[in-house]
Amino acid sequence: MASNRGVVYLGPGKVEVQSIEYPKFVDPRGKAIEHGVILKVVSTNICGSDQHMVRGRTTAPTGLVLGHEITGEVVEMGKDVEYLSKGDLVTVPFNVACGRCRTCREQQTGVCLNVNDARAGGAYGYVDMGGWVGGQAEYVMVPYADFNLIKFPDKARAMEKIRDLTMLSDILPTGFHGAVTAGVGVGSTVYVAGAGPVGLAAAASAQILGAAVVLVGDMNQERLKHAKSVGFEPIDLTKSDKLEELIEAVLGEPEVDASIDAVGFEARGHGSQAGTEAPATVLNALMTVTRASGGIGIPGLYVTEDPGSKDEAAQHGNLRMRLGLGWAKSHRFYTGQTPVLQYNRQLMQAILYDRLPIAKVVNATVIPLSEAAKGYKDFDAGVAKKFVLDPHGMLTG
């Protein structure tokens, strides 16, 4: 039998590359399926969402094979797969979606009704997302392949831009979704909370949507320096308790047209409160600085349970939000998992035709699968990099 290796969560702060089972055409319930494919993983990325689990901030079980950002080559197919062929290079949306339920038919593939017995929505290698095996591995099974997968039209051309195209599985469409749902358009002033990879992807998305200026806020000096180097206005949140003052110093006014939360539930206070856990601080700050009738896109992850939080309410997913402020300003809020299939084809075209150099924007850094544990450690320390795992050495030669 063919071998396989994957990144396995072993408990808070610990992951390890281990031998894992080679994929089978079986769903998490144990039911045989014929609509899937097995992929040889060409690239698979470490995501900030993975870090939440690895830090012990979720109810993720030990033994979970991680990884929901996957690009791969088809090596085996179920007999019900009609429109793909062996050898095809494909991008995999992180959403597991059936393509048949009401929400999938509405293009809301982030909340598919048929791939998770516990709740709406499925994902690979993620807590509470249906039990689908993750793709930080050498091989992975992808179900409902004809619906979920997008084939790159020119394999050789795609491999030339694979460091960019690997971002199509999650962070680029997630950042784009945040910008779209915030209402970013031509001439918009935009504030993005968080200078990590998703925040930078959101900032790049705002630019391609026509924003006049994009401000990116963080407390990590290395990430702020990188954000400036790729064309965004850095906002150093260590400088003041009042975000509106920092924005006014750049724009001449204390508000923006649209804002994006790329931080999520592990948010911390800034200024004099720097380092203090404050799960709702980003949302409250965005309501303060977003103009009346403006939009707030929230692609940052919020969880139903955060057992590692020091805040008792947040342990159960409750946040101390100033919702009255947002209501008074007629804000639009848009939350939830990104429905990747709404965006990744057009974003693929933007990459292939040199409109969106996302690998440069997020500082894509390729490492072998064997160095995954070090990649997790470095990413958790706040380096200004997006780690791309190369299980078969196809990105580095």
Side-chain angles (χ1 to χ4, degrees):
M1 178 176 288
S3 62
N4 193 17
R5 295 184 306 150
V7 181
V8 180
Y9 170 64
L10 298 178
K14 189 173 182 181
V15 298
E16 186 176 280
V17 178
Q18 297 183 348
S19 294
I20 61 173
E21 188 175 21
Y22 187 82
K24 297 178 181 178
F25 290 115
V26 176
D27 72 13
R29 307 174 185 96
K31 178 183 176 183
I33 60 174
E34 296 291 351
H35 47 65
V37 298
I38 293 173
L39 300 180
K40 177 181 179 180
V41 177
V42 173
S43 63
T44 177
N45 317 324
I46 297 175
C47 181
S49 297
D50 298 320
Q51 289 285 18
H52 295 309
M53 291 187 291
V54 174
R55 293 186 190 117
R57 297 299 296 265
T58 72
T59 56
T62 58
L64 180 69
V65 180
L66 300 169
H68 56 273
E69 300 189 10
I70 308 163
T71 305
E73 180 183 15
V74 178
V75 293
E76 295 183 45
M77 303 191 308
K79 66 181 181 181
D80 289 344
V81 177
E82 298 184 65
Y83 304 112
L84 295 166
S85 302
K86 289 184 180 179
D88 286 347
L89 183 65
V90 296
T91 180
V92 185
F94 77 89
N95 320 112
V96 182
C98 72
R100 305 166 185 181
C101 68
R102 176 180 179 176
T103 51
C104 282
R105 289 172 182 268
E106 294 172 348
Q107 293 193 314
Q108 295 296 333
T109 52
V111 281
C112 174
L113 303 176
N114 289 329
V115 295
N116 184 352
D117 290 339
R119 64 174 69 169
Y124 304 93
Y126 212 84
V127 59
D128 296 331
M129 288 286 104
W132 300 91
V133 176
Q136 285 175 13
E138 293 174 329
Y139 297 91
V140 68
M141 193 278 289
V142 174
Y144 304 102
D146 281 329
F147 178 70
N148 285 302
L149 300 182
I150 292 182
K151 172 187 171 181
F152 295 121
D154 184 320
K155 190 173 182 178
R157 184 183 180 196
M159 286 302 298
E160 291 175 359
K161 290 184 175 291
I162 191 64
R163 289 170 176 80
D164 298 280
L165 294 170
T166 189
M167 307 304 167
L168 288 175
S169 56
D170 182 0
I171 68 163
L172 180 53
T174 292
F176 193 79
H177 184 61
V180 168
T181 56
V184 176
V186 174
S188 297
T189 56
V190 182
Y191 174 73
V192 179
V198 171
L200 294 173
S205 298
Q207 283 189 333
I208 203 171
L209 287 167
V213 59
V214 183
L215 295 74
V216 180
D218 209 301
M219 292 176 283
N220 181 310
Q221 299 303 307
E222 181 181 348
R223 288 183 170 182
L224 287 171
K225 182 179 179 180
H226 177 71
K228 183 175 182 179
S229 75
V230 292
F232 311 124
E233 290 284 346
I235 300 296
D236 186 350
L237 299 177
T238 67
K239 300 297 185 183
S240 175
D241 291 352
K242 295 184 177 181
L243 177 58
E244 59 269 30
E245 292 181 351
L246 298 173
I247 288 176
E248 185 171 20
V250 176
L251 299 181
E253 57 183 2
E255 64 182 15
V256 293
D257 297 317
S259 58
I260 303 164
D261 174 5
V263 176
F265 74 101
E266 283 196 72
R268 295 178 179 272
H270 57 266
S272 63
Q273 302 299 313
T276 303
E277 282 200 13
T281 190
V282 170
L283 295 172
N284 290 332
L286 297 190
M287 286 186 279
T288 299
V289 303
T290 303
R291 68 173 176 86
S293 80
I296 301 173
I298 310 172
L301 175 66
Y302 288 86
V303 293
T304 54
E305 293 182 80
D306 176 9
S309 178
K310 297 177 182 178
D311 184 297
E312 184 176 353
Q315 292 176 9
H316 304 286
N318 296 321
L319 303 178
R320 294 182 171 90
M321 285 179 60
R322 294 188 64 195
L323 188 59
L325 176 61
W327 187 93
K329 296 175 76 173
S330 293
H331 283 156
R332 302 184 310 277
F333 298 85
Y334 204 105
T335 69
Q337 288 191 61
T338 297
V340 173
L341 280 175
Q342 285 192 28
Y343 307 112
N344 61 354
R345 186 176 296 279
Q346 56 265 48
L347 292 172
M348 174 184 72
Q349 294 291 86
I351 289 170
L352 291 175
Y353 288 95
D354 299 319
R355 294 292 308 283
L356 194 51
I358 189 64
K360 177 183 177 182
V361 169
V362 301
N363 196 16
T365 303
V366 178
I367 61 175
L369 182 67
S370 59
E371 294 182 12
K374 183 178 186 300
Y376 269 93
K377 182 178 180 180
D378 291 348
F379 190 32
D380 193 45
V383 296
K385 297 178 180 180
K386 171 69 172 178
F387 287 108
V388 177
L389 302 178
D390 184 10
H392 296 278
M394 299 176 71
L395 279 66
T396 54

